Structure formats: structure tokens, C-alpha cells
Amino acid sequence: MRSLRISLREFLLLLACVALALTIALNRFRTDKIYLHVYGTAVEKGHDRYGTDLTLTNGVDAWVRIATADVYTNQPFGFVTPNNRWPHIEIRGIVRRRWLGGYDLKVEFNLDDHNLTYICDENRTLNLEEIVYIDKSFDCFLLSSNPDPYVSLKSALEPTPPRNSR
């Protein structure tokens, strides 16, 4: 019977392949808790019982949190909040973390307020605290690591400082 013998180089190569496979598997199947914050301007007064930051506006009206949901990467999510069209919101989707940073988001929105009704699908890649406008004047959303919707929106609306050019 012949014994199995491998060189040190083969052993290190095998070890590197196993480590790479484990890293890929952990990145693909690990779940991170992030938050989906949805904002609107055509919202009934007092909708957000925690208050509104009146400095966060679209130029005319203040952005008010419509809904916040805990979202886990690689797991489908969804919720419905019937608010007598102030607004009614129904969301279903999934978020996947990208290998080199950012998130792939696939989401279906049904937003119905007293002004407009949006039924839309979003498939996009985005970073945390990056605003996605469903309609520039009335509704937007973002993914965040922060559970506070107004802190998240404030950091997303702040202009990025210019890079120093040399």
C-alpha cells in the first residue's frame, strides 16, 4: 500500500484553497442586519410619532419617515402598513451583499398616498446611506446601518467633501 505524501508547497496551496472557499461561503451566506428607511412628503401630520426633522427637506416639504424595517441580507423581507392612504405602503424584496462592497437590492414598492400611487420595481446596486428617489418630490428610501431614520437621512443628504487635488 502506498502512503499519501504531499509536499509543503502542495499543503500550503490546499490550505489557501480551503481558506478562499470558506471566505466566499461566509460572505455569501452571512446575514447582516441593516435598516430600510422609507420617507415621504405627502404624509399626514403626526404620522411619525417620534417626530420629524424639519431641516431635512426636498426644498419645499419636510421628509417624514413612512416606515422603517429591519432587513437581513440574503433573506427575503416584506411588510404592509395600511395607513388609510397617508400613505398605504407595501414592500417586498431581498438585499444581497456584494463581494467588493455595496448591496444589490431587488424590491417591489406599492405606495399609495392622497396624491399619487406608485407601483414600481427597483433592481439596483447601492451603498449604505445612499438615497434612492422613487419620485424626487414625494418619496425616497435608503439602506442604513443606523436604526434612527433621521440620522441616516441627514448623513445621506450631506454633501460629500471634495477631494484634495495635488
Side-chain angles (χ1 to χ4, degrees):
M1 183 167 182
R2 194 170 149 199
S3 65
L4 176 66
R5 292 176 51 169
I6 60 174
S7 68
L8 180 59
R9 182 186 317 185
E10 292 169 335
F11 175 73
L12 291 175
L13 182 61
L14 178 65
L15 189 61
C17 289
V18 168
L20 180 62
L22 281 173
T23 302
I24 290 171
L26 286 175
N27 189 56
R28 176 77 175 140
F29 298 110
R30 184 178 83 192
T31 59
D32 296 335
K33 180 179 178 182
I34 55 179
Y35 301 91
L36 173 68
H37 300 297
V38 184
Y39 307 91
T41 57
V43 179
E44 180 181 19
K45 276 201 181 310
H47 173 78
D48 189 358
R49 66 182 179 151
Y50 297 109
T52 304
D53 186 344
L54 299 176
T55 64
L56 302 173
T57 71
N58 65 356
V60 177
D61 297 314
W63 289 111
V64 178
R65 179 182 63 99
I66 298 172
T68 295
D70 297 352
V71 175
Y72 293 88
T73 56
N74 301 318
Q75 294 181 8
F77 66 90
F79 60 91
V80 177
T81 58
N83 291 316
N84 197 23
R85 296 187 72 209
W86 291 97
H88 167 88
I89 183 169
E90 183 176 344
I91 296 178
R92 287 176 178 44
I94 189 165
V95 177
R96 297 188 193 283
R97 184 162 23 119
R98 296 178 58 88
W99 176 253
L100 296 175
Y103 294 87
D104 287 329
L105 174 68
K106 182 178 181 182
V107 67
E108 299 170 6
F109 278 96
N110 181 348
L111 292 168
D112 184 21
D113 62 35
H114 64 278
N115 286 331
L116 299 164
T117 299
Y118 295 103
I119 299 173
C120 60
D121 296 336
E122 292 283 341
N123 290 316
R124 62 176 55 221
T125 299
L126 66 152
N127 295 315
L128 295 179
E129 274 70 56
E130 180 180 333
I131 295 178
V132 178
Y133 292 98
I134 299 169
D135 177 287
K136 189 82 170 163
S137 301
F138 294 112
D139 297 291
C140 67
F141 68 91
L142 59 86
L143 293 175
S144 177
S145 58
N146 192 327
D148 187 315
Y150 296 107
V151 170
S152 300
L153 184 60
K154 188 173 198 153
S155 69
L157 289 173
E158 286 178 355
T160 310
R163 294 182 186 192
N164 293 336
S165 57
R166 294 180 185 202

